[in-house]
Amino acid sequence: MEHMLSDLQCNFQEEIKLYTNECTKHTKGLVNEMVKKIDAKKKKLKKRQEKGENVSKILCSRSMMP
């Protein structure tokens, strides 16, 4: 009986370890995916801001022309 209980505990611990590793791997994958999306949005925003600055510089230089 004690041997059977010990086997069950070992199996249970192994399953918990496997499940924890799978959850950790999945969580890291989700985090990486989110970071990539955020980086892409930042990159687009930066391009828009740079484009906006270039447009405003052109408009300012044109308005100063006689």
Side-chain angles (χ1 to χ4, degrees):
M1 183 72 160
E2 287 180 28
H3 180 66
M4 197 164 86
L5 184 59
S6 177
D7 285 346
L8 283 173
Q9 285 178 327
C10 285
N11 289 339
F12 185 68
Q13 288 175 346
E14 287 175 16
E15 290 296 320
I16 288 176
K17 186 182 276 189
L18 289 173
Y19 181 75
T20 301
N21 290 338
E22 286 179 30
C23 286
T24 302
K25 185 178 177 180
H26 186 67
T27 301
K28 286 181 180 180
L30 291 173
V31 169
N32 286 335
E33 198 174 302
M34 293 292 291
V35 168
K36 285 180 184 178
K37 287 180 181 179
I38 291 170
D39 286 345
K41 286 181 181 180
K42 282 183 181 180
K43 192 174 181 179
K44 285 182 182 178
L45 180 61
K46 188 175 180 180
K47 282 185 179 181
R48 284 186 201 154
Q49 288 175 338
E50 288 173 355
K51 189 175 182 179
E53 288 174 4
N54 291 338
V55 169
S56 62
K57 285 180 185 178
I58 292 169
L59 292 175
C60 286
S61 66
R62 286 184 183 171
S63 66
M64 293 188 167
M65 289 183 177

